[in-house]
Amino acid sequence: MIDLLTVHRSPHRPEEMVRGAGRVLARYDHRTQDSGNVSWIVRTPEADLFVKTAGEDASPPDGAPTPLLDHAARVALLRTAVEISRTVDHPVLARLRNVAETPTGPMLIYDRAPGRLVGVPSEHRQDPGSSYRRFAAAEPGIRLAVFDQLLDAHRALAAAGWVACDLYDGCLMVDLATTRLTLIDLDTYQRGAFPNGMGTMFGSSRFMAPEEFEFGATIDARTTVFTLGRLICHFGTGLTEDLADFCGGGAAGRVIARAARPAREDRFASVGEFADAWSTARSSTRP
């Protein structure tokens, strides 16, 4: 039996290690994503774990999509995820338990997050039973509690210098029974402001700021503010995008409207400023 929580280097490939650690509950590869990463949920004697790797340094299987990034770039992003875990201690961030070096790069071993992933493939977004629709229709108190956690976590990330990239509903694991949020897949976050070197950056266009489509534009805290505002608007209005439907009331709705303004200079200058304004607005509506 392989103990994934204590092994730090192994000559074995990740698939062998995972299968030697316990019962594989799920495998995520080219059949469910185009990143090139390969991940597993594995039940071990200690706990249920989520294991993430950069996949193989090889051509994709026949019929599989070509990964968006090559193997070396995927490895670099996993090391960014490790750096985030080491620089920011916040209960909303997925808990990284161990990193094991293997012949194909690092294996990141996390606690399995409770709840369900809010983001679903576009063809499932109309399904009322999907986690996407269920979160959007959840009681206002549940959604607001999740938004509070989302902003508080990003306050901590921003304080450590991290700028959000590719933040979308596929990063949100929500347990509706406990209102607990877990943030996952923050590998593409970057330390400090940087220029848009791609033109159209990674992300979901539903939540991306205008500068994420403009080559050479500055990506910084105001960009993070926009994406957070769009996420909260999208789900806080029950998907209508009309702030008259916002579950947090008018004052909080006005804060969200400012966060998601197209012009950078019209938004909050920092995540902390946004979070403070949100907290003040929320306090004014609590009984």
Side-chain angles (χ1 to χ4, degrees):
M1 179 74 71
I2 296 174
D3 185 354
L4 293 177
L5 298 180
T6 61
V7 61
H8 296 303
R9 185 171 297 276
S10 173
H12 301 293
R13 303 184 98 72
E15 184 94 33
E16 299 174 71
M17 295 176 64
V18 168
R19 296 196 177 279
R23 181 160 67 93
V24 174
L25 304 180
R27 187 180 196 272
Y28 306 98
D29 54 19
H30 62 276
R31 290 166 292 189
T32 58
Q33 57 191 2
D34 58 6
S35 66
N37 293 329
V38 179
S39 304
W40 299 263
I41 295 174
V42 56
R43 177 155 292 162
T44 75
E46 295 82 10
D48 284 0
L49 303 172
F50 177 76
V51 180
K52 185 172 184 178
T53 74
E56 296 285 336
D57 185 7
S59 299
D62 290 344
T66 301
L68 298 173
L69 297 170
D70 63 22
H71 183 264
R74 299 196 301 270
V75 166
L77 291 183
L78 291 184
R79 300 204 186 279
T80 295
V82 174
E83 186 66 13
I84 289 174
S85 293
R86 288 174 176 166
T87 57
V88 182
D89 181 15
H90 195 282
V92 166
L93 301 186
R95 184 185 178 200
L96 182 64
R97 298 288 300 277
N98 189 24
V99 179
E101 297 295 336
T102 78
T104 62
M107 288 177 60
L108 276 55
I109 300 150
Y110 293 91
D111 282 337
R112 180 183 182 180
R116 296 176 64 187
L117 192 64
V118 172
V120 300
S122 57
E123 60 269 24
H124 298 312
R125 289 185 198 143
Q126 299 303 316
D127 179 358
S130 69
S131 51
Y132 173 81
R133 287 276 168 177
R134 289 184 64 218
F135 177 55
E139 290 294 323
I142 293 174
R143 285 179 283 165
L144 291 168
V146 170
F147 302 153
D148 288 345
Q149 295 169 74
L150 177 65
L151 286 176
D152 194 61
H154 278 88
R155 182 202 291 273
L157 286 160
W162 293 102
V163 173
C165 301
D166 198 13
L167 171 62
Y168 70 118
D169 51 6
C171 300
L172 312 182
M173 289 283 294
V174 173
D175 185 339
L176 293 176
T178 63
T179 72
R180 179 178 170 184
L181 169 68
T182 305
L183 286 172
I184 65 170
D185 288 345
L186 308 186
D187 312 6
T188 52
Y189 280 38
Q190 295 200 33
R191 206 82 177 269
F194 62 96
N196 176 348
M198 298 178 64
T200 297
M201 297 181 64
F202 294 134
S204 169
S205 59
R206 295 169 294 156
F207 310 114
M208 292 166 66
E211 59 266 27
E212 294 182 270
F213 299 93
E214 181 184 348
F215 185 85
T218 298
I219 308 299
D220 60 9
R222 291 180 190 265
T223 311
T224 304
V225 165
F226 181 96
T227 298
L228 290 168
R230 287 290 305 123
L231 277 165
I232 294 173
C233 176
H234 189 68
F235 291 103
T237 61
L239 311 180
T240 70
E241 307 286 354
D242 183 348
L243 284 169
D245 299 326
F246 189 65
C247 64
R254 287 188 289 275
V255 170
I256 296 308
R258 179 178 171 189
R261 286 175 182 163
R264 292 168 46 82
E265 62 273 14
D266 292 339
R267 304 173 204 155
F268 296 102
S270 69
V271 176
E273 184 183 348
F274 176 21
D276 285 345
W278 169 262
S279 180
T280 299
R282 287 271 285 120
S283 296
S284 71
T285 59
R286 288 189 179 103

